[in-house]
Amino acid sequence: MARKKIIAGNWKMNMTPSQAVELVNTLKPLVVNDDVDVVFCVPAIDIIPAMEAAKGTNIHIGAENMYFEEKGAYTGEISPAMLVDAGVKYVIIGHSERREYFAETDETVNKKVLKAFEHGITPIVCCGETLTQREQGVTIDFVRQQIKIAFLNVSAEQAASAVIAYEPIWAIGTGKVATTEQAEEVCKAIRDCIAEIYDDGTAAAIRIQYGGSVSASNAAELFAQADIDGGLVGGASLKPDFGKIVNY
Ligand code: PEP
């Protein structure tokens, strides 16, 4: 069966709650496409108003992060149960900005991935190399290691329903998009890695996004690649251009 494309916006630390409502209202007529799962991953404080504004549309509201404990003395964190209660179905885990600025590691990513599945939330698991790693020729080794650790103790059934976002760090927010060949090479390597860990069926089911300066002008070519099942989109997800990306 063909994999359904999934195109997710990552709003990052942008949009106040009232701006979030305005943006959802602006984008909702533009992102209608039944062939694509459309997700807006928004700041935690925007989840409930965005969810309300998106009611009755094809837009899923997702989170940008969550903690791996159930509840308790973790000031400032958001629990999986809080997300579930708000109606969240998707959560970005291990974005490179969280790894860089908030000390997330492959181990915390794995804990969060396990916890998301425990609560029935689909993780969008981020991976990707730095420019130095690409120049050193270790991109695929590095990404394989990130994936192997992120999926430790994850069952094949869970993995089949997961989303992986391959995001070369040098392409995030820089306007420097990976070539389609570079993006497809790594997305295929990730699928092969999933086949090694699990089996061919799991590898054929899991959805792998490309992220890194996706725009209305490069989305169609990227999403046409055999192993690229959509995109994780930062900057362009805050603009009407996101409608063009969803309807690539
Ligand atoms: C991202 O934040 O995940 C991202 C890919 O950002 P941008 O599209 O702006 O490069």
Side-chain angles (χ1 to χ4, degrees):
M1 209 179 78
R3 292 180 294 272
K4 190 174 184 185
K5 294 271 195 271
I6 175 163
I7 300 176
N10 172 16
W11 288 11
K12 312 196 187 198
M13 198 175 73
N14 294 294
M15 302 292 135
T16 63
S18 48
Q19 289 169 336
V21 170
E22 250 179 73
L23 184 57
V24 171
N25 285 334
T26 304
L27 292 182
K28 64 186 176 191
L30 308 178
V31 298
V32 179
N33 183 346
D34 290 340
D35 297 331
V36 170
D37 283 331
V38 178
V39 187
F40 291 7
C41 295
V42 308
I45 197 167
D46 295 343
I47 289 172
I48 289 173
M51 190 79 70
E52 199 58 36
K55 223 175 231 168
T57 74
N58 61 320
I59 301 166
H60 298 279
I61 301 299
E64 298 177 11
N65 181 34
M66 60 162 229
Y67 200 47
F68 53 73
E69 294 291 352
E70 287 297 326
K71 63 175 180 174
Y74 304 103
T75 303
E77 292 296 315
I78 303 287
S79 77
M82 292 170 189
L83 296 183
V84 169
D85 191 60
V88 166
K89 299 276 187 326
Y90 294 93
V91 60
I92 298 174
I93 301 288
H95 191 280
S96 58
E97 287 153 16
R98 295 217 54 89
R99 294 179 192 250
E100 183 177 354
Y101 306 127
F102 302 99
E104 293 215 6
T105 63
D106 289 334
E107 287 70 27
T108 60
V109 168
N110 175 238
K111 286 184 184 180
K112 291 181 177 192
V113 167
L114 290 168
K115 196 48 94 173
F117 279 124
E118 208 180 291
H119 286 264
I121 307 172
T122 300
I124 299 175
V125 185
C126 297
C127 61
E129 81 287 2
T130 62
L131 186 56
T132 305
Q133 288 165 329
R134 178 157 284 273
E135 288 168 352
Q136 290 167 336
V138 300
T139 294
I140 290 183
D141 291 336
F142 180 73
V143 169
R144 279 172 56 87
Q145 173 166 321
Q146 286 183 312
I147 294 301
K148 284 186 175 180
I149 300 173
F151 282 81
L152 277 176
N153 301 315
V154 172
S155 73
E157 194 189 339
Q158 290 170 330
S161 71
V163 178
I164 293 174
Y166 165 56
E167 299 206 305
I169 294 170
W170 48 272
I172 297 179
T174 56
K176 252 193 235 167
V177 65
T179 65
T180 44
E181 292 76 20
Q182 287 172 327
E184 168 61 17
E185 182 193 21
V186 183
C187 290
K188 180 175 187 311
I190 292 169
R191 200 175 303 285
D192 291 345
C193 182
I194 294 293
E196 278 172 41
I197 303 170
Y198 300 101
D199 49 62
D200 289 348
T202 308
I206 196 168
R207 293 188 289 179
I208 304 174
Q209 300 172 314
Y210 166 78
S213 299
V214 173
S215 68
S217 59
N218 58 34
E221 197 183 331
L222 286 163
F223 301 166
Q225 303 306 303
D227 291 290
I228 301 181
D229 306 313
L232 182 56
V233 184
S237 72
L238 299 168
K239 303 181 209 150
D241 255 22
F242 194 58
K244 294 190 190 142
I245 294 173
V246 167
N247 288 290
Y248 65 98

